Amino acid sequence: MYQATKDFLGKPAPPNYVAGLGRGATGFTTRSDIGPAREGPVLDASVEAAKQQQQKEEEDDERFQDPDNETGLFASIPYDEDDEEADKIYEAIDAKMDERRRVRREAREKEELKKYRAERPKIQQQFADIKRSLATLSSDEWSNIPEVGDLVGKNRRKQNLQERYTPVPDSLLEKAREEHQLVTHLDPQQQQHGGFATPAGTDSGMMTNFVEIGQARDKVLSLKLDQISDSVSGSTNIDPKGYLTDLNSIVVKSDAEIGDIKKARLLLKSVITTNPKHAPGWIAAARLEEVAGKQAQALSIIAKGCEECAKSEDVWLEAARLNTVENAKVILASAVRHLPQSVKIWLQAVKLETEVKGQKRVLRRALEFIPNSVKLWKAAISLEENPEDARILLSRAVELVPLSVELWLALARLETYENARKVLNAARAAVPTSHEIWIAGARLEEQQGNDSRVDMIISRAVTTLSQKGTILTREQWLQEAEGCEKQKSVSTCQAIVRATIGLGIEEDDRKSTWMEDAEGCISRNSIETARAIYAHALTVFRGKKSVWRRAAFLEKNHGTRESLEELLQKAVKYCPQAEVLWLMGAKEKWLAGDVNGARAILREAFKANPNSEQIWLAAVKLESENDEYERASILLQKAREQADTERVWMKSIILERQRKRIPEALELLSEGLEKFPTFDKLWMIRGQIEDNQGQLQTARETYNKGLKRCPKSIPLWLLSSRLEEKAGLLIKSRAILERGRLLNPKNAELWTEAVRVELRGNNMNMAKALMAKALQECPNSGLLWSEAIFMENRPQRKSKSVDALKRCDNDPLVITTVARLFWSERKVDKARTWFGRAVKVDQDIGDCWAWWYKFEVQHGTEEQQQEVINRCVSSEPHHGERWQATAKNLDNFGKNTEEILKLVAVELE
């Protein structure tokens, strides 16, 4: 029975046919699907989806397309010159914009990198200070550094059993002692067993003694040394005493060094083989063998180098260096046959000669081959001891080398005046562009006393050199002037300054430029050059007070009293209104002991400046210092009428107070306070007078009135506070200082006084609290930091001083405090250095000088003490807490700077 064949088998499937669609073969149902299975994809929908996907990919391709390879819309348009030019313009604009922002961008990136490194430093930066400290380690500390290893868990390094040390028991030590001791009796056990047993066993009949073997070896070595040291003929072949020393001097190279030497030897061998005419290769190869300790091979190599590179002077010089002196002479003799024009070889041959006669012979032979060598002529002339022989050689030298300025000048120095002039004229004709010859001519005329010709020669030199095209700048001429000054040719120096100081300067810049030049010369200790600059400037700016002052200070510091007085007389003639110049002249006369001369100068000053306060006060000081109090009082009375100023009234009151005329002083104070109620010093003087008289209540009222009129006067607040503290009213003293700090914020003196009030009252905790607030408000005050340092305990003072130096490193009070710390630690040299640094920063602080002098009294010599006194007197300090209190004390009236310095040093604690 046959089965019927299905009709659809072997036929194509109908459109949109999906096998098993009815059974749900196209998908599966989920919880969100309800109903029958989804229908299969439709052919048209699938085709449409494929087209959309292809279009999307094409759009993406167009988005990432290279604009230089355009396709699509602009694909058919040709790329012409205009397009290229437009692209270049856009590129130039982009580059310009990038360049404009580059500096800011780089600065921003640098700042960000710096900030990043500060927040996340490298391991190298974190341990940089520790690595720097490794430089101070000694060799023992280096050897004791433990090795780095992994000591965690399984990787913990086990200790070597051989490195473990176990204490030896006493029984073992006792047994060892018994074995090595010598006995003189027989062993009973050996006697019982019928004989002696051999200690080393039955095979060997003796015991090995290593001590005797070592002694025998030493004896044999000494015999061999004796045989070698003394031969049959008696000559010594070896030094037995230095034998071991020579052995120690042998350098045993490491494997790495030996390997490097072998590599270098192969490399250099290839160099000299491939290019045998290369002189540096032969020299390097010879030096390599020399370093390796093979002197014979080095000599052999350099000898071959001399054969191959006979025209290289360096090879010959290297060969002479490696050989002995005698061999070097032979080598250099061969060298000059190949290189007769080499100056270096001839000079090296001269050095090998030990006698002057031989050196002269070699040099003369060298000059036959090289007659135009300046070095050879100079070497030959320097060997001549007779000036006449040197002059003859120089005459021949300038004929053969006419362009050498040094030889011309040397010949001129050896000739007489007339011949020297001829020589310099000939040199000027041979070398017309040399300014040294002109300067030498001017110096020659100055030595003969012809100062008038010096200016003419220098002026002609400047003109002629400019015509020849040799133009020296003003700075170069000033350097030549300073050189002439160092050679004691002052007239030539001044002539150079006068002729060249105005070169290349605008008319408006002359004064400032010349002042800078003068200051630079003073800093280089070229005083005559600076004096010449000031002298020329004064001929141009006769009415400039500042130029006269600078010149006067130069004469005061580096000149004589007579030159200063002469300069000041000229100064007041051209600047009669300059009060400072009159006062300097009067002071110099007074210091010289000529009081009448000082009075005469001040009378002339009065005529030129009738209402000048400074001149009136200078005249009063002159009379009072010479105990002419009546004349000083009369002058002050006239000054109050003609120059009615605050300082004149104050000086009048001070004079009466110094003369112990208190009622007259109080009367003047009343009149002065009516005229000048806001002048704080008058209130201070009145309060001090009333305080000294015991009138505390009156003095308190005076200070209160003064503080109402002068709330910004810090000394007045301090005096008022100290008055209350003196009366025992500590609370009121604190209140005054607090009120003063409110009216005068960030004032270090008021804060310091508040801290000292608590210290004097034994309130250390309160003082420290106030000091902390003070340093927050005035962090850069040297007065506060110096007080804070000594408030700390001794171990903490050093760290406190470091903080103070970071805040105010150039403050003289802090530097003096640091010096005192070194003083307390007995570091004398460091303390002296820091005291010197303090007074160098500010010479007007008298307390620094007093501390230094007290230190020198304790640790210095008399010369060092006198040096401090001299420097202090020349500086004339006027400020400082202790200094002003001592100087203004009525008991110290009329004392000079040295006496006040010693008084302050005694009072310091």
Side-chain angles (χ1 to χ4, degrees):
M1 184 176 183
Y2 297 94
Q3 187 176 3
T5 303
K6 301 295 183 182
D7 184 57
F8 56 86
L9 293 178
K11 295 182 179 180
N16 299 332
Y17 173 79
V18 177
L21 180 63
R23 300 190 303 274
T26 59
F28 55 90
T29 59
T30 62
R31 294 181 181 179
S32 61
D33 296 330
I34 300 174
R38 290 174 293 178
E39 296 181 355
V42 184
L43 180 61
D44 297 338
S46 301
V47 174
E48 186 67 21
K51 289 182 179 180
Q52 291 179 358
Q53 182 67 24
Q54 182 178 2
Q55 184 179 0
K56 184 176 180 181
E57 291 177 356
E58 291 177 357
E59 290 178 357
D60 291 342
D61 293 339
E62 291 178 358
R63 186 178 59 181
F64 297 107
Q65 182 177 338
D66 188 1
D68 294 336
N69 300 324
E70 294 175 343
T71 58
L73 181 60
F74 299 99
S76 61
I77 299 176
Y79 188 78
D80 54 5
E81 296 180 355
D82 294 339
D83 296 334
E84 183 179 1
E85 183 179 1
D87 291 341
K88 291 182 179 180
I89 291 173
Y90 282 118
E91 291 177 359
I93 293 173
D94 293 339
K96 182 67 176 178
M97 297 299 293
D98 185 69
E99 181 68 22
R100 291 177 58 185
R101 299 186 180 94
R102 181 175 60 82
V103 177
R104 288 182 292 176
R105 184 177 66 253
E106 290 179 355
R108 186 181 69 253
E109 292 175 356
K110 185 177 180 180
E111 186 66 26
E112 291 177 355
L113 180 60
K114 183 178 179 181
K115 183 177 179 181
Y116 179 80
R117 291 302 184 196
E119 294 177 355
R120 300 176 181 85
K122 297 181 179 179
I123 300 297
Q124 181 181 5
Q125 296 175 352
Q126 294 179 5
F127 295 96
D129 53 343
I130 302 176
K131 290 175 67 177
R132 284 194 298 269
S133 63
L134 293 177
T136 60
L137 293 180
S138 62
S139 57
D140 295 337
E141 292 173 341
W142 273 106
S143 60
N144 292 329
I145 294 178
E147 295 182 358
V148 179
D150 192 358
L151 304 179
V152 180
K154 298 180 180 179
N155 297 325
R156 181 177 289 110
R157 187 160 55 103
K158 296 182 179 181
Q159 187 178 5
N160 192 359
L161 296 178
Q162 296 181 356
E163 295 180 357
R164 294 182 179 179
Y165 297 97
T166 305
V168 181
D170 296 340
S171 59
L172 186 61
L173 295 176
E174 183 66 21
K175 183 178 180 181
R177 186 184 66 81
E178 292 177 355
E179 289 178 354
H180 290 85
Q181 70 178 353
L182 298 176
V183 295
T184 58
H185 61 277
L186 298 175
D187 189 358
Q189 295 181 357
Q190 292 178 350
Q191 293 178 0
Q192 291 177 3
H193 289 81
F196 297 100
T198 304
T202 57
D203 297 334
S204 62
M206 62 179 296
M207 180 182 292
T208 304
N209 193 340
F210 294 100
V211 176
E212 294 181 357
I213 293 174
Q215 292 176 355
R217 184 189 61 185
D218 295 341
K219 189 173 182 180
V220 171
L221 178 61
S222 63
L223 290 174
K224 289 184 177 180
L225 289 175
D226 294 338
Q227 293 174 0
I228 295 174
S229 61
D230 295 328
S231 62
V232 178
S233 60
S235 61
T236 301
N237 297 325
I238 190 171
D239 182 14
K241 296 181 180 179
Y243 180 70
L244 296 178
T245 305
D246 294 338
L247 290 178
N248 291 330
S249 64
I250 296 176
V251 179
V252 181
K253 298 184 179 299
S254 61
D255 295 338
E257 293 178 352
I258 294 173
D260 294 339
I261 291 174
K262 289 181 178 179
K263 291 179 182 178
R265 186 180 288 117
L266 291 175
L267 179 61
L268 292 174
K269 184 178 180 180
S270 64
V271 170
I272 61 180
T273 302
T274 56
N275 188 8
K277 300 299 181 181
H278 186 60
W282 292 101
I283 296 173
R287 290 184 179 177
L288 176 66
E289 300 300 336
E290 181 187 9
V291 172
K294 298 182 179 181
Q295 190 71 17
Q297 295 184 10
L299 294 175
S300 176
I301 291 174
I302 202 64
K304 293 180 183 178
C306 293
E307 295 176 0
E308 296 291 341
C309 307
K311 298 298 181 181
S312 174
E313 61 181 11
D314 294 333
V315 174
W316 291 105
L317 293 175
E318 185 69 17
R321 186 186 68 84
L322 291 174
N323 282 272
T324 60
V325 176
E326 298 300 329
N327 293 338
K329 291 181 181 180
V330 176
I331 291 171
L332 293 179
S334 302
V336 296
R337 284 195 293 271
H338 292 87
L339 297 169
Q341 302 296 324
S342 176
V343 178
K344 291 183 178 179
I345 293 177
W346 285 108
L347 291 177
Q348 185 64 27
V350 172
K351 292 180 181 178
L352 294 178
E353 297 292 337
T354 56
E355 297 181 356
V356 178
K357 185 177 180 180
Q359 293 177 352
K360 291 181 180 180
R361 184 175 63 252
V362 173
L363 284 172
R364 289 173 182 173
R365 182 64 175 169
L367 289 171
E368 293 178 3
F369 289 95
I370 319 172
N372 58 350
S373 174
V374 179
K375 290 184 178 180
L376 292 177
W377 280 110
K378 290 172 65 176
I381 294 166
S382 63
L383 293 177
E384 297 295 337
E385 298 178 357
N386 190 357
E388 186 63 25
D389 296 337
R391 187 184 62 81
I392 296 173
L393 281 177
L394 282 170
S395 301
R396 181 59 178 166
V398 295
E399 293 178 4
L400 296 174
V401 193
L403 298 181
S404 176
V405 178
E406 297 181 40
L407 297 179
W408 283 108
L409 297 179
L411 178 59
R413 283 194 292 268
L414 293 177
E415 294 285 357
T416 60
Y417 171 64
E418 296 297 334
N419 294 334
R421 291 182 62 183
K422 296 177 181 179
V423 169
L424 291 176
N425 290 330
R428 194 178 300 121
V431 191
T433 59
S434 173
H435 63 279
E436 292 94 342
I437 298 175
W438 289 96
I439 294 175
R443 292 184 58 206
L444 179 64
E445 296 296 337
E446 181 183 358
Q447 291 173 1
Q448 298 298 320
N450 301 328
D451 292 341
S452 59
R453 294 181 58 84
V454 174
D455 289 306
M456 181 188 67
I457 293 174
I458 296 299
S459 300
R460 286 181 56 190
V462 176
T463 305
T464 306
L465 290 174
S466 61
Q467 293 175 355
K468 297 294 183 181
T470 305
I471 301 176
L472 272 71
T473 62
R474 185 174 54 85
E475 290 77 11
Q476 291 174 335
W477 280 113
L478 286 179
Q479 291 178 1
E480 295 294 335
E482 293 181 20
C484 292
E485 179 184 352
K486 290 179 173 61
Q487 294 172 357
K488 308 300 180 183
S489 300
V490 179
S491 298
T492 306
C493 168
Q494 296 173 352
I496 293 174
V497 171
R498 285 191 292 268
T500 61
I501 192 63
L503 295 177
I505 304 178
E506 297 292 336
E507 187 175 354
D508 297 336
D509 299 335
R510 288 183 300 175
K511 180 187 172 184
S512 60
T513 305
W514 290 347
M515 296 302 102
E516 290 177 2
D517 292 338
E519 293 296 331
C521 292
I522 294 174
S523 64
R524 294 187 292 271
N525 202 23
S526 300
I527 306 302
E528 293 297 335
T529 308
R531 186 178 285 116
I533 294 173
Y534 281 135
H536 181 76
L538 290 174
T539 59
V540 180
F541 305 103
R542 294 183 177 179
K544 292 294 184 180
K545 177 177 63 176
S546 59
V547 181
W548 286 105
R549 285 186 59 189
R550 290 173 181 266
F553 282 121
L554 175 65
E555 295 298 332
K556 181 179 180 181
N557 296 327
H558 302 283
T560 61
R561 192 182 300 276
E562 291 77 12
S563 62
L564 177 58
E565 291 179 358
E566 182 181 358
L567 179 67
L568 289 174
Q569 289 176 4
K570 294 180 181 180
V572 297
K573 180 180 179 182
Y574 291 105
C575 301
Q577 305 300 324
E579 301 173 354
V580 178
L581 300 176
W582 289 103
L583 297 177
M584 288 182 66
K587 185 176 181 180
E588 293 301 322
K589 287 287 185 182
W590 176 31
L591 294 176
D594 188 3
V595 180
N596 294 326
R599 289 171 180 166
I601 292 176
L602 290 176
R603 281 195 295 269
E604 297 295 329
F606 278 128
K607 294 178 183 179
N609 305 277
N611 296 324
S612 174
E613 174 189 297
Q614 292 186 357
I615 296 177
W616 278 108
L617 295 180
V620 171
K621 183 177 181 180
L622 177 64
E623 300 298 340
S624 61
E625 292 289 341
N626 291 279
D627 298 334
E628 296 289 343
Y629 297 115
E630 292 297 333
R631 299 184 65 173
S633 180
I634 294 172
L635 286 174
L636 284 170
Q637 185 177 357
K638 293 181 180 179
R640 290 195 300 272
E641 296 174 358
Q642 298 183 13
D644 192 8
T645 61
E646 298 173 347
R647 292 191 63 204
V648 170
W649 280 91
M650 183 185 69
K651 293 295 182 181
S652 301
I653 296 167
I654 291 176
L655 180 63
E656 298 298 334
R657 186 182 178 190
Q658 290 172 350
R659 298 176 63 187
K660 308 297 183 181
R661 299 173 63 180
I662 303 301
E664 289 79 358
L666 291 174
E667 184 179 353
L668 288 174
L669 275 170
S670 300
E671 296 179 11
L673 288 173
E674 290 178 1
K675 290 188 175 184
F676 311 103
T678 58
F679 188 42
D680 58 337
K681 290 188 177 180
L682 297 181
W683 293 105
M684 293 162 57
I685 295 173
R686 184 171 181 175
Q688 288 175 342
I689 292 175
E690 293 170 349
D691 186 9
N692 293 333
Q693 291 179 347
Q695 303 174 4
L696 298 181
Q697 183 61 31
T698 309
R700 184 180 293 115
E701 294 175 358
T702 300
Y703 286 142
N704 290 334
K705 292 178 182 179
L707 289 174
K708 291 179 182 179
R709 299 294 183 91
C710 312
K712 298 297 182 181
S713 176
I714 305 303
L716 201 54
W717 286 103
L718 298 179
L719 288 174
S720 178
S721 172
R722 289 168 185 170
L723 180 67
E724 300 299 340
E725 185 181 1
K726 181 180 178 181
L729 303 176
L730 193 61
I731 298 177
K732 199 168 183 179
S733 174
R734 292 174 185 153
I736 291 173
L737 291 174
E738 186 174 357
R739 188 155 52 94
R741 294 197 299 273
L742 292 175
L743 296 175
N744 302 276
K746 296 184 179 181
N747 186 274
E749 296 182 13
L750 293 176
W751 279 107
T752 304
E753 184 65 22
V755 172
R756 290 175 179 173
V757 167
E758 301 301 335
L759 290 176
R760 289 191 289 265
N762 295 325
N763 298 326
M764 180 57 69
N765 295 331
M766 189 66 179
K768 290 184 177 180
L770 284 174
M771 180 58 71
K773 294 180 181 178
L775 291 176
Q776 290 179 356
E777 190 166 351
C778 307
N780 298 323
S781 171
L783 180 63
L784 282 172
W785 279 107
S786 59
E787 191 74 24
I789 290 173
F790 281 99
M791 284 179 61
E792 299 290 338
N793 296 326
R794 186 176 293 274
Q796 285 78 30
R797 288 178 182 176
K798 187 175 181 180
S799 59
K800 199 72 173 181
S801 64
V802 173
D803 297 337
L805 289 173
K806 290 180 180 178
R807 286 289 186 177
C808 38
D809 56 341
N810 287 326
D811 191 279
L813 297 179
V814 173
I815 297 174
T816 303
T817 305
V818 174
R820 291 169 58 191
L821 290 179
F822 286 125
W823 180 7
S824 62
E825 295 175 358
R826 301 293 179 181
K827 298 179 180 179
V828 178
D829 294 335
K830 285 189 176 181
R832 184 176 289 111
T833 303
W834 281 79
F835 277 125
R837 179 183 169 189
V839 299
K840 187 177 181 180
V841 171
D842 192 351
Q843 299 181 357
D844 196 44
I845 307 297
D847 293 357
C848 301
W849 290 104
W851 279 113
W852 192 7
Y853 176 73
K854 186 173 183 179
F855 166 78
E856 295 296 349
V857 169
Q858 184 173 354
H859 295 285
T861 60
E862 294 183 1
E863 291 79 7
Q864 292 171 335
Q865 298 171 16
Q866 190 61 39
E867 181 184 0
V868 174
I869 292 174
N870 295 337
R871 292 180 60 182
C872 179
V873 170
S874 62
S875 301
E876 294 184 0
H878 293 91
H879 293 85
E881 288 184 292
R882 304 290 184 87
W883 186 272
Q884 286 184 324
T886 304
K888 293 183 178 180
N889 193 345
L890 296 178
D891 297 334
N892 301 327
F893 172 69
K895 294 183 178 179
N896 55 22
T897 304
E898 181 179 353
E899 294 173 342
I900 294 174
L901 174 66
K902 295 180 179 180
L903 289 174
V904 176
V906 172
E907 295 176 0
L908 290 175
E909 296 179 358

